[in-house]
Amino acid sequence: MLQVCLNGARSRAECPHLPVTPDELAVAAREAVAAGAEDIHLHPKDHDGQDTLEATAVAAAVSAVRAAVPGIPVGVTTGAWATADPHARAAQVRAWTVLPDHASVNWHEDGATEVAAALLDRGIGIEAGIYSGTPAARRFLSWPGSRRFLRVLAEITEATPQDGLHAAAGLLDELEPAAAPILLHGEDATAWPILRLAASRRLHARIGLEDVLHLPDGTPAPDNAALIRAAREIIQHTPQGTT
């Protein structure tokens, strides 16, 4: 499965063509799905372009994207940078009026289990966000509900491709006891090398303006659809068991 991550916590200062509004997210999702994306991850934004978990913003973003790409799963973030207090974050999830198909929960953040419980109570699938270089994998695997989730989102945070590939190998070994579907991805300089690793291992992958602003040849990506097309090309031409 290839997921598109449409915007992330980035701002227009980093990427002038970042999709922010519900209408922009809908257009970006439609183009990305036409290019080969099979799942969508997005960050709802407030009027200032900041990530938010408020019910009205989540409803607007999810509804617009869902209408643009009917039948394609749509997920959102629950990152602590949007709402620092974990109790407030869980309360926001419980207040959502339009439910996404799934939501990511970062297991290194305080209150991850509380937010996860709120999602499960609402019937929302969980992407368990496991950052490299953190105790997230251990925390997740010790959670009594660690079999009640959609997939593991293995997130490689190292800055260089060499360090990222080394960290990815270690994290995948650490996550083996989960016996779960894994979506493996990197960011910025590691995004494309990690996508190739995911392709070689036949793992789920993702790409989009949240993770990287450049195509594999280093040129700026004009939009999410261009990143998805490049990813599809890599996946198609990466033999299993190679990197």
Side-chain angles (χ1 to χ4, degrees):
M1 183 272 290
L2 179 60
Q3 181 184 83
V4 63
C5 46
L6 293 174
N7 55 0
R10 295 189 191 272
S11 69
R12 287 266 174 78
E14 295 175 86
C15 178
H17 50 280
L18 189 79
V20 171
T21 69
D23 286 346
E24 291 167 349
L25 288 165
V27 171
R30 186 183 302 113
E31 292 174 347
V33 168
E38 300 164 291
D39 190 282
I40 293 166
H41 173 77
L42 61 86
H43 291 208
K45 306 281 187 179
D46 62 19
H47 292 299
D48 296 321
Q50 301 299 310
D51 284 9
T52 179
L53 305 181
E54 289 294 336
T56 53
V58 172
V62 171
S63 296
V65 169
R66 192 169 273 154
V69 287
I72 300 296
V74 180
V76 301
T77 184
T78 63
W81 56 85
T83 300
D85 181 78
H87 304 296
R89 206 154 68 245
Q92 286 177 310
V93 169
R94 295 184 191 281
W96 286 349
T97 55
V98 174
L99 304 185
D101 297 288
H102 53 77
S104 59
V105 178
N106 298 322
W107 236 260
H108 65 283
E109 295 176 348
D110 291 340
T113 58
E114 186 175 353
V115 174
L119 291 167
L120 289 173
D121 287 348
R122 302 300 308 275
I124 301 168
I126 294 173
E127 288 185 316
I130 311 299
Y131 281 40
S132 60
T134 74
R138 185 178 68 253
R139 291 178 181 177
F140 173 68
L141 292 171
S142 65
W143 176 48
S146 63
R147 291 291 185 265
R148 300 175 61 199
F149 63 97
L150 179 64
R151 57 181 159 255
V152 171
L153 189 60
E155 310 198 42
I156 306 306
T157 61
E158 279 68 20
T160 69
Q162 183 177 2
D163 289 345
L165 290 169
H166 178 75
L171 185 58
L172 291 174
D173 286 344
E174 193 175 3
L175 288 170
E176 191 170 348
I182 291 179
L183 189 161
L184 176 66
H185 78 98
E187 56 188 26
D188 297 321
T190 68
W192 293 111
I194 295 298
L195 186 135
R196 290 185 178 91
L197 176 61
S200 74
R201 296 203 179 191
R202 296 300 184 260
L203 301 173
H204 298 318
R206 85 174 199 186
I207 206 74
L209 293 173
E210 173 174 356
D211 287 348
V212 65
L213 301 179
H214 292 82
L215 295 167
D217 64 3
T219 59
D223 51 31
N224 283 288
L227 293 169
I228 289 292
R229 283 192 291 271
R232 278 287 172 212
E233 184 74 10
I234 289 170
I235 291 169
Q236 182 179 353
H237 292 96
T238 300
Q240 189 167 359
T242 67
T243 58

